[in-house]
Amino acid sequence: MLRRTFVSLTSNSGKILHQTRQISSNESINNTKPKRIRAISCDVTGTLVSFLGRIEDHYGDAAHVCGIEILQEKKLLIPQSFNKAYKETSAAHPCFGNSCISSKEWWRRCVKRSFDLVGTSMDEPEEERVFQRVYSTFGSHAAYGVFDDAKPFLKWCMRHGIACGVLSNADERYGDSILPMLGLSDHMQFFTFSKNVGVEKPGKEIFDAAIQDAQPWLCLGNKRSDIKLLMPEEVLHIGNDYQKDYVGATSAGFHAVLLDRYDEKEVAKSWREGGAPVFKDLIDVVEWLGREQYELGPRDSVRFEHS
């Protein structure tokens, strides 16, 4: 006997990313209470969106446009200088400043510190001009691209009545401008950022906040008065960091999977050894949901129809 799982996701170019496949009834079926996914939370970078270019080029080009020349040997130090500056700024002002300073001020301090660590000498007006150029670059198409399967996946979630959104250690700029610029926000319902919550993944509080952010969207347009509260076990989190996205999510009661977008075999192996389901892309996640007999969307929806 065969049960049919319908999966037909296409990229923006019209290329079919995955077609209908059949699942045998002989595959393992959970005989306990059916598992249902009513909401999906996604990390951003490495899950839905990729960084474009190299940080040393983005920072170096910004300085060059502003009349500041950085020697090649110093330019090559920018990635490690940025990583150190990021950690220092995060330690001084957690969660991108939360309610203490604006996210833009947080990035101003991080960028300035990055150039200081490289050994680039600038006066205050020059620092501000370079910062504004860097800040603009990281709010543009020059720094971000969308994975081919992201939009088809988000549309698939909408068709099934699944509230899908972002749960990320990031500031609100992603939700305010970057995701809209990339054409993703129209297909998403909620946005949960550490900047607003004041807690970063893997902290349980940010996962709890995502549930609260997703809940209203399950009721929107639904005339039924008995819509039940969203429970952690009805949420799937998708990310690309074992501690933040898998351990954090499962500790909060979520289901969780990880994406190995960049074919990091040893890293993915360690994730699997830690118990995490690991997939190459979001199409694999859809297939896995069907294979594992998850029910999708509202509680009166039909099982196995993953079109």
Side-chain angles (χ1 to χ4, degrees), residues 35 37 39-43 167 201 207 232-259 271-272 274-279 285 288-289 292 294:
K35 297 173 290 186
I37 298 299
I40 294 178
S41 60
C42 300
D43 183 44
L167 197 176
K201 298 179 297 183
F207 291 95
E233 62 269 22
E234 296 176 315
V235 184
L236 171 67
H237 180 68
I238 307 173
N240 67 337
D241 184 286
Y242 183 79
Q243 287 297 328
K244 296 174 183 177
D245 293 309
Y246 181 73
V247 174
T250 54
S251 296
F254 287 30
H255 300 276
V257 300
L258 299 176
L259 297 187
W271 292 349
R272 290 189 179 96
V278 182
F279 305 105
V285 175
W288 173 77
L289 287 168
E292 293 295 314
Y294 279 90

mmCIF file of all heavy atoms in Angstrom, residues 35 37 39-43 167 201 207 232-259 271-272 274-279 285 288-289 292 294:
data_model
loop_
_atom_site.group_PDB
_atom_site.id
_atom_site.type_symbol
_atom_site.label_atom_id
_atom_site.label_comp_id
_atom_site.label_asym_id
_atom_site.label_seq_id
_atom_site.Cartn_x
_atom_site.Cartn_y
_atom_site.Cartn_z
ATOM 1 N N LYS A 35 1.751 13.992 15.238
ATOM 2 C CA LYS A 35 2.537 15.208 15.399
ATOM 3 C C LYS A 35 2.004 16.258 14.419
ATOM 4 O O LYS A 35 1.797 15.969 13.247
ATOM 5 C CB LYS A 35 4.009 14.920 15.109
ATOM 6 C CG LYS A 35 4.643 13.929 16.058
ATOM 7 C CD LYS A 35 6.049 13.557 15.619
ATOM 8 C CE LYS A 35 6.047 12.706 14.351
ATOM 9 N NZ LYS A 35 7.408 12.229 14.008
ATOM 10 N N ILE A 37 2.406 20.353 12.977
ATOM 11 C CA ILE A 37 3.156 21.595 12.889
ATOM 12 C C ILE A 37 2.199 22.717 12.478
ATOM 13 O O ILE A 37 1.619 22.692 11.392
ATOM 14 C CB ILE A 37 4.308 21.491 11.863
ATOM 15 C CG1 ILE A 37 5.315 20.417 12.283
ATOM 16 C CG2 ILE A 37 4.997 22.845 11.700
ATOM 17 C CD1 ILE A 37 5.983 20.668 13.613
ATOM 18 N N ALA A 39 3.219 26.095 13.180
ATOM 19 C CA ALA A 39 4.076 27.265 12.940
ATOM 20 C C ALA A 39 5.499 26.807 12.668
ATOM 21 O O ALA A 39 5.941 25.769 13.184
ATOM 22 C CB ALA A 39 4.040 28.216 14.134
ATOM 23 N N ILE A 40 6.205 27.567 11.856
ATOM 24 C CA ILE A 40 7.611 27.300 11.560
ATOM 25 C C ILE A 40 8.394 28.587 11.746
ATOM 26 O O ILE A 40 8.030 29.636 11.197
ATOM 27 C CB ILE A 40 7.797 26.780 10.122
ATOM 28 C CG1 ILE A 40 7.130 25.406 9.962
ATOM 29 C CG2 ILE A 40 9.284 26.686 9.769
ATOM 30 C CD1 ILE A 40 7.235 24.834 8.555
ATOM 31 N N SER A 41 9.456 28.518 12.539
ATOM 32 C CA SER A 41 10.355 29.657 12.711
ATOM 33 C C SER A 41 11.672 29.355 12.000
ATOM 34 O O SER A 41 12.148 28.230 12.027
ATOM 35 C CB SER A 41 10.602 29.941 14.201
ATOM 36 O OG SER A 41 11.184 28.816 14.841
ATOM 37 N N CYS A 42 12.226 30.370 11.364
ATOM 38 C CA CYS A 42 13.458 30.190 10.594
ATOM 39 C C CYS A 42 14.524 31.179 11.035
ATOM 40 O O CYS A 42 14.230 32.351 11.280
ATOM 41 C CB CYS A 42 13.198 30.415 9.104
ATOM 42 S SG CYS A 42 11.994 29.310 8.342
ATOM 43 N N ASP A 43 15.745 30.691 11.115
ATOM 44 C CA ASP A 43 16.872 31.597 11.212
ATOM 45 C C ASP A 43 16.971 32.318 9.871
ATOM 46 O O ASP A 43 16.346 31.898 8.891
ATOM 47 C CB ASP A 43 18.145 30.804 11.507
ATOM 48 C CG ASP A 43 19.344 31.693 11.689
ATOM 49 O OD1 ASP A 43 19.233 32.718 12.377
ATOM 50 O OD2 ASP A 43 20.407 31.371 11.124
ATOM 51 N N LEU A 167 13.031 33.839 13.494
ATOM 52 C CA LEU A 167 13.480 33.825 14.884
ATOM 53 C C LEU A 167 15.001 33.897 14.816
ATOM 54 O O LEU A 167 15.657 32.922 14.455
ATOM 55 C CB LEU A 167 13.029 32.538 15.581
ATOM 56 C CG LEU A 167 13.042 32.480 17.111
ATOM 57 C CD1 LEU A 167 12.457 31.150 17.594
ATOM 58 C CD2 LEU A 167 14.430 32.655 17.695
ATOM 59 N N LYS A 201 19.150 33.447 21.147
ATOM 60 C CA LYS A 201 19.208 31.985 21.104
ATOM 61 C C LYS A 201 20.560 31.566 21.663
ATOM 62 O O LYS A 201 21.556 32.245 21.400
ATOM 63 C CB LYS A 201 19.095 31.488 19.651
ATOM 64 C CG LYS A 201 17.800 31.825 18.949
ATOM 65 C CD LYS A 201 17.797 31.309 17.505
ATOM 66 C CE LYS A 201 18.873 31.960 16.667
ATOM 67 N NZ LYS A 201 18.845 31.518 15.243
ATOM 68 N N PHE A 207 12.470 31.837 22.229
ATOM 69 C CA PHE A 207 11.589 30.858 21.600
ATOM 70 C C PHE A 207 10.152 31.042 22.117
ATOM 71 O O PHE A 207 9.195 30.932 21.348
ATOM 72 C CB PHE A 207 12.096 29.440 21.863
ATOM 73 C CG PHE A 207 13.377 29.128 21.134
ATOM 74 C CD1 PHE A 207 14.616 29.286 21.753
ATOM 75 C CD2 PHE A 207 13.348 28.688 19.817
ATOM 76 C CE1 PHE A 207 15.796 29.017 21.075
ATOM 77 C CE2 PHE A 207 14.519 28.410 19.131
ATOM 78 C CZ PHE A 207 15.752 28.584 19.762
ATOM 79 N N PRO A 232 4.539 24.715 22.150
ATOM 80 C CA PRO A 232 5.904 24.535 21.632
ATOM 81 C C PRO A 232 6.059 23.314 20.733
ATOM 82 O O PRO A 232 6.765 23.372 19.715
ATOM 83 C CB PRO A 232 6.745 24.395 22.910
ATOM 84 C CG PRO A 232 5.967 25.127 23.943
ATOM 85 C CD PRO A 232 4.527 24.899 23.617
ATOM 86 N N GLU A 233 5.381 22.221 21.080
ATOM 87 C CA GLU A 233 5.513 20.993 20.285
ATOM 88 C C GLU A 233 4.820 21.089 18.930
ATOM 89 O O GLU A 233 4.907 20.155 18.113
ATOM 90 C CB GLU A 233 4.970 19.792 21.056
ATOM 91 C CG GLU A 233 3.501 19.854 21.412
ATOM 92 C CD GLU A 233 3.224 20.478 22.774
ATOM 93 O OE1 GLU A 233 4.093 21.233 23.272
ATOM 94 O OE2 GLU A 233 2.145 20.197 23.329
ATOM 95 N N GLU A 234 4.159 22.225 18.658
ATOM 96 C CA GLU A 234 3.522 22.438 17.366
ATOM 97 C C GLU A 234 4.335 23.389 16.485
ATOM 98 O O GLU A 234 3.870 23.846 15.448
ATOM 99 C CB GLU A 234 2.115 23.010 17.565
ATOM 100 C CG GLU A 234 1.162 22.065 18.282
ATOM 101 C CD GLU A 234 -0.193 22.682 18.550
ATOM 102 O OE1 GLU A 234 -0.236 23.850 18.999
ATOM 103 O OE2 GLU A 234 -1.201 21.994 18.307
ATOM 104 N N VAL A 235 5.566 23.655 16.908
ATOM 105 C CA VAL A 235 6.435 24.575 16.163
ATOM 106 C C VAL A 235 7.690 23.834 15.698
ATOM 107 O O VAL A 235 8.294 23.072 16.456
ATOM 108 C CB VAL A 235 6.849 25.781 17.030
ATOM 109 C CG1 VAL A 235 7.662 26.776 16.190
ATOM 110 C CG2 VAL A 235 5.636 26.467 17.626
ATOM 111 N N LEU A 236 8.069 24.074 14.450
ATOM 112 C CA LEU A 236 9.325 23.567 13.906
ATOM 113 C C LEU A 236 10.271 24.742 13.720
ATOM 114 O O LEU A 236 9.893 25.758 13.130
ATOM 115 C CB LEU A 236 9.096 22.879 12.558
ATOM 116 C CG LEU A 236 10.367 22.491 11.781
ATOM 117 C CD1 LEU A 236 11.139 21.400 12.512
ATOM 118 C CD2 LEU A 236 10.027 22.063 10.363
ATOM 119 N N HIS A 237 11.493 24.614 14.226
ATOM 120 C CA HIS A 237 12.498 25.652 14.010
ATOM 121 C C HIS A 237 13.549 25.130 13.043
ATOM 122 O O HIS A 237 14.014 23.994 13.161
ATOM 123 C CB HIS A 237 13.163 26.070 15.330
ATOM 124 C CG HIS A 237 14.203 27.137 15.142
ATOM 125 N ND1 HIS A 237 13.887 28.418 14.765
ATOM 126 C CD2 HIS A 237 15.560 27.095 15.247
ATOM 127 C CE1 HIS A 237 14.998 29.136 14.668
ATOM 128 N NE2 HIS A 237 16.027 28.353 14.935
ATOM 129 N N ILE A 238 13.928 25.975 12.084
ATOM 130 C CA ILE A 238 14.930 25.621 11.077
ATOM 131 C C ILE A 238 16.088 26.600 11.172
ATOM 132 O O ILE A 238 15.886 27.823 11.123
ATOM 133 C CB ILE A 238 14.334 25.664 9.660
ATOM 134 C CG1 ILE A 238 13.070 24.805 9.570
ATOM 135 C CG2 ILE A 238 15.369 25.210 8.634
ATOM 136 C CD1 ILE A 238 12.333 24.941 8.241
ATOM 137 N N GLY A 239 17.296 26.079 11.324
ATOM 138 C CA GLY A 239 18.461 26.953 11.426
ATOM 139 C C GLY A 239 19.728 26.269 10.955
ATOM 140 O O GLY A 239 19.690 25.234 10.288
ATOM 141 N N ASN A 240 20.875 26.846 11.324
ATOM 142 C CA ASN A 240 22.148 26.278 10.880
ATOM 143 C C ASN A 240 23.234 26.348 11.955
ATOM 144 O O ASN A 240 24.424 26.359 11.637
ATOM 145 C CB ASN A 240 22.627 26.979 9.604
ATOM 146 C CG ASN A 240 23.000 28.439 9.833
ATOM 147 O OD1 ASN A 240 22.539 29.063 10.791
ATOM 148 N ND2 ASN A 240 23.834 28.983 8.978
ATOM 149 N N ASP A 241 22.805 26.376 13.208
ATOM 150 C CA ASP A 241 23.754 26.387 14.314
ATOM 151 C C ASP A 241 23.278 25.374 15.358
ATOM 152 O O ASP A 241 22.141 25.462 15.829
ATOM 153 C CB ASP A 241 23.843 27.787 14.933
ATOM 154 C CG ASP A 241 24.891 27.881 16.031
ATOM 155 O OD1 ASP A 241 24.641 27.361 17.148
ATOM 156 O OD2 ASP A 241 25.966 28.466 15.789
ATOM 157 N N TYR A 242 24.146 24.431 15.709
ATOM 158 C CA TYR A 242 23.719 23.334 16.583
ATOM 159 C C TYR A 242 23.241 23.836 17.939
ATOM 160 O O TYR A 242 22.143 23.468 18.393
ATOM 161 C CB TYR A 242 24.861 22.334 16.774
ATOM 162 C CG TYR A 242 24.453 21.141 17.615
ATOM 163 C CD1 TYR A 242 23.710 20.103 17.069
ATOM 164 C CD2 TYR A 242 24.804 21.068 18.966
ATOM 165 C CE1 TYR A 242 23.309 19.021 17.840
ATOM 166 C CE2 TYR A 242 24.416 19.991 19.748
ATOM 167 C CZ TYR A 242 23.669 18.971 19.186
ATOM 168 O OH TYR A 242 23.270 17.906 19.965
ATOM 169 N N GLN A 243 24.045 24.644 18.616
ATOM 170 C CA GLN A 243 23.681 25.103 19.956
ATOM 171 C C GLN A 243 22.503 26.078 19.922
ATOM 172 O O GLN A 243 21.532 25.925 20.666
ATOM 173 C CB GLN A 243 24.882 25.767 20.628
ATOM 174 C CG GLN A 243 25.957 24.799 21.081
ATOM 175 C CD GLN A 243 25.470 23.827 22.155
ATOM 176 O OE1 GLN A 243 24.609 24.168 22.971
ATOM 177 N NE2 GLN A 243 26.004 22.619 22.155
ATOM 178 N N LYS A 244 22.583 27.068 19.054
ATOM 179 C CA LYS A 244 21.556 28.119 19.031
ATOM 180 C C LYS A 244 20.232 27.623 18.475
ATOM 181 O O LYS A 244 19.162 27.931 19.019
ATOM 182 C CB LYS A 244 22.054 29.306 18.215
ATOM 183 C CG LYS A 244 23.264 30.007 18.800
ATOM 184 C CD LYS A 244 23.783 31.084 17.860
ATOM 185 C CE LYS A 244 25.038 31.733 18.398
ATOM 186 N NZ LYS A 244 25.601 32.731 17.448
ATOM 187 N N ASP A 245 20.302 26.865 17.372
ATOM 188 C CA ASP A 245 19.077 26.511 16.670
ATOM 189 C C ASP A 245 18.526 25.135 17.016
ATOM 190 O O ASP A 245 17.307 24.958 17.037
ATOM 191 C CB ASP A 245 19.309 26.591 15.157
ATOM 192 C CG ASP A 245 19.562 28.008 14.683
ATOM 193 O OD1 ASP A 245 18.764 28.891 15.030
ATOM 194 O OD2 ASP A 245 20.560 28.241 13.978
ATOM 195 N N TYR A 246 19.398 24.173 17.291
ATOM 196 C CA TYR A 246 18.885 22.834 17.618
ATOM 197 C C TYR A 246 18.714 22.659 19.125
ATOM 198 O O TYR A 246 17.611 22.379 19.605
ATOM 199 C CB TYR A 246 19.799 21.747 17.068
ATOM 200 C CG TYR A 246 19.264 20.361 17.369
ATOM 201 C CD1 TYR A 246 18.148 19.867 16.684
ATOM 202 C CD2 TYR A 246 19.846 19.560 18.363
ATOM 203 C CE1 TYR A 246 17.624 18.611 16.979
ATOM 204 C CE2 TYR A 246 19.331 18.310 18.661
ATOM 205 C CZ TYR A 246 18.218 17.836 17.968
ATOM 206 O OH TYR A 246 17.698 16.595 18.278
ATOM 207 N N VAL A 247 19.790 22.852 19.873
ATOM 208 C CA VAL A 247 19.700 22.682 21.331
ATOM 209 C C VAL A 247 18.734 23.698 21.918
ATOM 210 O O VAL A 247 17.877 23.361 22.750
ATOM 211 C CB VAL A 247 21.093 22.805 21.984
ATOM 212 C CG1 VAL A 247 20.968 22.779 23.510
ATOM 213 C CG2 VAL A 247 22.009 21.685 21.512
ATOM 214 N N GLY A 248 18.845 24.952 21.490
ATOM 215 C CA GLY A 248 17.949 25.988 22.004
ATOM 216 C C GLY A 248 16.495 25.679 21.724
ATOM 217 O O GLY A 248 15.640 25.768 22.609
ATOM 218 N N ALA A 249 16.200 25.287 20.491
ATOM 219 C CA ALA A 249 14.813 25.022 20.097
ATOM 220 C C ALA A 249 14.242 23.797 20.802
ATOM 221 O O ALA A 249 13.126 23.831 21.333
ATOM 222 C CB ALA A 249 14.725 24.847 18.585
ATOM 223 N N THR A 250 14.989 22.704 20.800
ATOM 224 C CA THR A 250 14.473 21.480 21.417
ATOM 225 C C THR A 250 14.350 21.631 22.933
ATOM 226 O O THR A 250 13.436 21.076 23.542
ATOM 227 C CB THR A 250 15.358 20.272 21.071
ATOM 228 O OG1 THR A 250 16.719 20.545 21.424
ATOM 229 C CG2 THR A 250 15.288 19.962 19.580
ATOM 230 N N SER A 251 15.234 22.403 23.541
ATOM 231 C CA SER A 251 15.131 22.650 24.980
ATOM 232 C C SER A 251 13.880 23.455 25.313
ATOM 233 O O SER A 251 13.330 23.347 26.413
ATOM 234 C CB SER A 251 16.371 23.402 25.483
ATOM 235 O OG SER A 251 17.538 22.612 25.340
ATOM 236 N N ALA A 252 13.426 24.257 24.334
ATOM 237 C CA ALA A 252 12.204 25.048 24.518
ATOM 238 C C ALA A 252 10.954 24.258 24.145
ATOM 239 O O ALA A 252 9.846 24.786 24.236
ATOM 240 C CB ALA A 252 12.277 26.320 23.679
ATOM 241 N N GLY A 253 11.137 23.012 23.715
ATOM 242 C CA GLY A 253 9.999 22.161 23.379
ATOM 243 C C GLY A 253 9.645 22.120 21.908
ATOM 244 O O GLY A 253 8.689 21.450 21.511
ATOM 245 N N PHE A 254 10.426 22.834 21.065
ATOM 246 C CA PHE A 254 10.169 22.855 19.630
ATOM 247 C C PHE A 254 10.710 21.578 18.977
ATOM 248 O O PHE A 254 11.589 20.906 19.506
ATOM 249 C CB PHE A 254 10.893 24.031 18.962
ATOM 250 C CG PHE A 254 10.306 25.386 19.217
ATOM 251 C CD1 PHE A 254 9.624 25.697 20.384
ATOM 252 C CD2 PHE A 254 10.466 26.405 18.291
ATOM 253 C CE1 PHE A 254 9.112 26.963 20.627
ATOM 254 C CE2 PHE A 254 9.969 27.681 18.504
ATOM 255 C CZ PHE A 254 9.288 27.952 19.676
ATOM 256 N N HIS A 255 10.208 21.281 17.771
ATOM 257 C CA HIS A 255 10.914 20.386 16.874
ATOM 258 C C HIS A 255 11.995 21.239 16.212
ATOM 259 O O HIS A 255 11.843 22.467 16.097
ATOM 260 C CB HIS A 255 9.973 19.828 15.804
ATOM 261 C CG HIS A 255 8.818 19.050 16.370
ATOM 262 N ND1 HIS A 255 8.916 17.717 16.723
ATOM 263 C CD2 HIS A 255 7.553 19.425 16.647
ATOM 264 C CE1 HIS A 255 7.749 17.304 17.190
ATOM 265 N NE2 HIS A 255 6.901 18.322 17.165
ATOM 266 N N ALA A 256 13.082 20.627 15.744
ATOM 267 C CA ALA A 256 14.137 21.421 15.115
ATOM 268 C C ALA A 256 14.906 20.596 14.096
ATOM 269 O O ALA A 256 15.110 19.395 14.280
ATOM 270 C CB ALA A 256 15.101 21.969 16.174
ATOM 271 N N VAL A 257 15.311 21.252 13.019
ATOM 272 C CA VAL A 257 16.187 20.656 12.015
ATOM 273 C C VAL A 257 17.250 21.683 11.661
ATOM 274 O O VAL A 257 17.073 22.893 11.873
ATOM 275 C CB VAL A 257 15.416 20.235 10.749
ATOM 276 C CG1 VAL A 257 14.331 19.214 11.086
ATOM 277 C CG2 VAL A 257 14.819 21.436 10.032
ATOM 278 N N LEU A 258 18.361 21.202 11.112
ATOM 279 C CA LEU A 258 19.452 22.078 10.707
ATOM 280 C C LEU A 258 19.713 21.929 9.213
ATOM 281 O O LEU A 258 19.537 20.850 8.650
ATOM 282 C CB LEU A 258 20.727 21.750 11.488
ATOM 283 C CG LEU A 258 20.661 21.910 13.003
ATOM 284 C CD1 LEU A 258 21.970 21.464 13.642
ATOM 285 C CD2 LEU A 258 20.351 23.362 13.391
ATOM 286 N N LEU A 259 20.155 23.025 8.578
ATOM 287 C CA LEU A 259 20.506 23.013 7.169
ATOM 288 C C LEU A 259 22.014 23.120 6.994
ATOM 289 O O LEU A 259 22.656 23.990 7.591
ATOM 290 C CB LEU A 259 19.844 24.174 6.427
ATOM 291 C CG LEU A 259 18.316 24.192 6.367
ATOM 292 C CD1 LEU A 259 17.846 25.330 5.453
ATOM 293 C CD2 LEU A 259 17.752 22.869 5.886
ATOM 294 N N TRP A 271 26.702 17.379 13.912
ATOM 295 C CA TRP A 271 25.310 17.710 14.229
ATOM 296 C C TRP A 271 24.465 16.442 14.308
ATOM 297 O O TRP A 271 23.662 16.272 15.234
ATOM 298 C CB TRP A 271 24.727 18.624 13.157
ATOM 299 C CG TRP A 271 25.302 20.002 13.098
ATOM 300 C CD1 TRP A 271 26.122 20.598 14.019
ATOM 301 C CD2 TRP A 271 25.103 20.962 12.056
ATOM 302 N NE1 TRP A 271 26.449 21.859 13.617
ATOM 303 C CE2 TRP A 271 25.834 22.115 12.419
ATOM 304 C CE3 TRP A 271 24.387 20.962 10.861
ATOM 305 C CZ2 TRP A 271 25.857 23.261 11.612
ATOM 306 C CZ3 TRP A 271 24.397 22.096 10.054
ATOM 307 C CH2 TRP A 271 25.130 23.229 10.434
ATOM 308 N N ARG A 272 24.654 15.564 13.330
ATOM 309 C CA ARG A 272 23.878 14.318 13.315
ATOM 310 C C ARG A 272 24.214 13.466 14.528
ATOM 311 O O ARG A 272 23.334 12.843 15.140
ATOM 312 C CB ARG A 272 24.160 13.544 12.031
ATOM 313 C CG ARG A 272 23.582 14.191 10.776
ATOM 314 C CD ARG A 272 23.707 13.279 9.565
ATOM 315 N NE ARG A 272 23.127 13.901 8.383
ATOM 316 C CZ ARG A 272 23.834 14.585 7.474
ATOM 317 N NH1 ARG A 272 25.159 14.717 7.634
ATOM 318 N NH2 ARG A 272 23.231 15.123 6.429
ATOM 319 N N GLY A 274 24.954 14.510 17.292
ATOM 320 C CA GLY A 274 24.294 15.143 18.430
ATOM 321 C C GLY A 274 22.788 14.980 18.408
ATOM 322 O O GLY A 274 22.098 15.519 19.277
ATOM 323 N N GLY A 275 22.284 14.246 17.411
ATOM 324 C CA GLY A 275 20.854 13.956 17.353
ATOM 325 C C GLY A 275 20.027 14.832 16.438
ATOM 326 O O GLY A 275 18.804 14.649 16.333
ATOM 327 N N ALA A 276 20.654 15.788 15.765
ATOM 328 C CA ALA A 276 19.902 16.725 14.927
ATOM 329 C C ALA A 276 19.634 16.149 13.541
ATOM 330 O O ALA A 276 20.545 15.615 12.911
ATOM 331 C CB ALA A 276 20.668 18.033 14.784
ATOM 332 N N PRO A 277 18.407 16.260 13.032
ATOM 333 C CA PRO A 277 18.148 15.967 11.620
ATOM 334 C C PRO A 277 18.821 17.057 10.780
ATOM 335 O O PRO A 277 18.651 18.247 11.060
ATOM 336 C CB PRO A 277 16.625 16.042 11.496
ATOM 337 C CG PRO A 277 16.111 15.942 12.907
ATOM 338 C CD PRO A 277 17.162 16.582 13.755
ATOM 339 N N VAL A 278 19.588 16.665 9.780
ATOM 340 C CA VAL A 278 20.344 17.624 8.971
ATOM 341 C C VAL A 278 19.979 17.441 7.495
ATOM 342 O O VAL A 278 19.974 16.316 6.988
ATOM 343 C CB VAL A 278 21.863 17.443 9.153
ATOM 344 C CG1 VAL A 278 22.633 18.487 8.343
ATOM 345 C CG2 VAL A 278 22.244 17.544 10.629
ATOM 346 N N PHE A 279 19.711 18.554 6.813
ATOM 347 C CA PHE A 279 19.301 18.503 5.414
ATOM 348 C C PHE A 279 20.067 19.538 4.602
ATOM 349 O O PHE A 279 20.613 20.490 5.147
ATOM 350 C CB PHE A 279 17.801 18.749 5.287
ATOM 351 C CG PHE A 279 16.973 17.810 6.120
ATOM 352 C CD1 PHE A 279 16.377 18.247 7.300
ATOM 353 C CD2 PHE A 279 16.816 16.488 5.741
ATOM 354 C CE1 PHE A 279 15.630 17.375 8.081
ATOM 355 C CE2 PHE A 279 16.071 15.606 6.518
ATOM 356 C CZ PHE A 279 15.477 16.054 7.687
ATOM 357 N N VAL A 285 13.470 19.383 3.813
ATOM 358 C CA VAL A 285 12.680 19.513 5.037
ATOM 359 C C VAL A 285 11.222 19.169 4.768
ATOM 360 O O VAL A 285 10.579 18.454 5.552
ATOM 361 C CB VAL A 285 12.799 20.938 5.625
ATOM 362 C CG1 VAL A 285 11.878 21.098 6.838
ATOM 363 C CG2 VAL A 285 14.241 21.241 6.019
ATOM 364 N N TRP A 288 10.905 15.484 4.452
ATOM 365 C CA TRP A 288 11.049 14.853 5.767
ATOM 366 C C TRP A 288 9.753 14.952 6.570
ATOM 367 O O TRP A 288 9.342 13.989 7.220
ATOM 368 C CB TRP A 288 12.194 15.519 6.519
ATOM 369 C CG TRP A 288 12.360 15.102 7.940
ATOM 370 C CD1 TRP A 288 12.915 13.948 8.408
ATOM 371 C CD2 TRP A 288 11.983 15.866 9.106
ATOM 372 N NE1 TRP A 288 12.917 13.935 9.787
ATOM 373 C CE2 TRP A 288 12.343 15.093 10.236
ATOM 374 C CE3 TRP A 288 11.387 17.105 9.300
ATOM 375 C CZ2 TRP A 288 12.109 15.538 11.539
ATOM 376 C CZ3 TRP A 288 11.164 17.551 10.590
ATOM 377 C CH2 TRP A 288 11.522 16.773 11.682
ATOM 378 N N LEU A 289 9.091 16.092 6.496
ATOM 379 C CA LEU A 289 7.827 16.260 7.213
ATOM 380 C C LEU A 289 6.794 15.235 6.733
ATOM 381 O O LEU A 289 6.043 14.674 7.534
ATOM 382 C CB LEU A 289 7.289 17.679 7.016
ATOM 383 C CG LEU A 289 8.026 18.789 7.774
ATOM 384 C CD1 LEU A 289 7.592 20.158 7.267
ATOM 385 C CD2 LEU A 289 7.797 18.677 9.277
ATOM 386 N N GLU A 292 7.872 11.674 7.919
ATOM 387 C CA GLU A 292 7.680 11.468 9.360
ATOM 388 C C GLU A 292 6.214 11.572 9.778
ATOM 389 O O GLU A 292 5.898 11.541 10.957
ATOM 390 C CB GLU A 292 8.512 12.489 10.143
ATOM 391 C CG GLU A 292 10.012 12.296 10.013
ATOM 392 C CD GLU A 292 10.475 10.984 10.614
ATOM 393 O OE1 GLU A 292 10.038 10.659 11.745
ATOM 394 O OE2 GLU A 292 11.254 10.272 9.951
ATOM 395 N N TYR A 294 4.010 14.020 9.711
ATOM 396 C CA TYR A 294 3.531 15.207 10.427
ATOM 397 C C TYR A 294 2.225 15.689 9.807
ATOM 398 O O TYR A 294 2.058 15.667 8.584
ATOM 399 C CB TYR A 294 4.549 16.349 10.344
ATOM 400 C CG TYR A 294 5.687 16.242 11.324
ATOM 401 C CD1 TYR A 294 6.862 15.566 10.980
ATOM 402 C CD2 TYR A 294 5.598 16.823 12.582
ATOM 403 C CE1 TYR A 294 7.921 15.477 11.872
ATOM 404 C CE2 TYR A 294 6.650 16.744 13.478
ATOM 405 C CZ TYR A 294 7.810 16.067 13.122
ATOM 406 O OH TYR A 294 8.842 15.979 14.009
#
